[in-house]
Amino acid sequence: MTDGSRTRQREQTRQTLLREGRRLFATRGYGAVGLSEIVRAAGVTKGALYHHFDSKAALFRAVLEEVQQQVAQTVATTAEAQDDPWTRFTAGCQAFLTASTDPDVQRIMLVDGPAVLGWNEWRALDEAASARHLAEALTSLIEEGTIASQPVAPLTHLLSGAMNEAALWLAGSAEPADLADTRTALSRMLEALRVG
């Protein structure tokens, strides 16, 4: 076996572990999934798992990062499809809320993420994945005068927290109209930031 094929095989094993870990964490929750179940589903040995991840928590962290990156990509793609900076901003916020209502995303990113990693590490990952983009959008809107001049960091954290909390609330909601109502409330809240 050549070095290139070994590298490909290792990466394929890693991707299989991530895929199966994500599926199991999303459907059953972190606490209900054991390592033996993950390796059985992935068709690998525990040794192979430990070659890539030193613990179940490390695998979960990698799954969470992947989920956060996918949500951030969805938000960016949705926002970038808009020409106007304000519409780009509001479309991105709405896209985050919508993407966060996916049950897999809710379970991994919003429910188990903070519980498994701890609040500080979870917040650091959240900031790396999406809060930075939110801060950049707000900075741009403040600089162009669309939003009143103000410190960006508090506003970023307030909006991020509100959207995360709304997504968590929607995760426990059985009422079909709640997503539309929450999207409307978010629109009103964002519109209140706009000058004039």
Side-chain angles (χ1 to χ4, degrees):
M1 187 179 282
T2 67
D3 285 344
S5 58
R6 269 195 215 74
T7 301
R8 277 192 302 281
Q9 186 176 12
R10 276 194 296 271
E11 184 54 28
Q12 186 175 23
T13 298
R14 185 178 190 282
Q15 291 305 316
T16 300
L17 285 163
L18 284 168
R19 184 184 67 244
E20 293 303 320
R22 179 177 179 163
R23 182 181 63 79
L24 291 166
F25 294 144
T27 56
R28 306 230 338 270
Y30 177 84
V33 176
L35 278 180
S36 57
E37 187 176 3
I38 294 167
V39 296
R40 189 169 47 252
V44 300
T45 64
K46 278 191 180 178
L49 181 137
Y50 284 124
H51 176 75
H52 296 281
F53 306 101
D54 63 9
S55 63
K56 182 173 88 165
L59 172 61
F60 178 82
R61 186 183 198 282
V63 166
L64 172 62
E65 286 178 316
E66 187 176 82
V67 168
Q68 287 179 319
Q69 287 167 1
Q70 288 172 348
V71 168
Q73 185 58 51
T74 298
V75 169
T77 301
T78 302
E80 289 164 6
Q82 306 301 318
D83 293 329
D84 171 62
W86 176 257
T87 308
R88 230 181 346 265
F89 168 65
T90 58
C93 290
Q94 292 288 358
F96 172 81
L97 188 62
T98 301
S100 297
T101 60
D102 177 283
D104 292 4
V105 171
Q106 288 173 336
R107 182 69 177 253
I108 292 168
M109 191 170 86
L110 300 170
V111 176
D112 284 347
V116 173
L117 300 181
W119 183 253
N120 289 336
E121 185 175 356
W122 180 83
R123 282 298 302 147
L125 289 177
D126 183 56
E127 286 199 26
S130 62
R132 179 175 46 85
H133 298 295
L134 180 58
E136 288 169 1
L138 289 167
T139 299
S140 179
L141 290 166
I142 289 168
E143 287 171 353
E144 71 179 30
T146 303
I147 294 176
S149 182
Q150 60 190 289
V152 172
L155 185 56
T156 300
H157 285 88
L158 283 167
L159 288 176
S160 178
M163 289 186 286
N164 282 337
E165 185 60 32
L168 272 171
W169 176 70
L170 287 167
S173 169
E175 192 61 46
D178 283 345
L179 176 58
D181 290 346
T182 303
R183 289 176 57 91
T184 300
L186 178 59
S187 290
R188 286 189 190 117
M189 186 174 83
L190 296 176
E191 195 60 39
L193 295 171
R194 206 171 183 182
V195 172

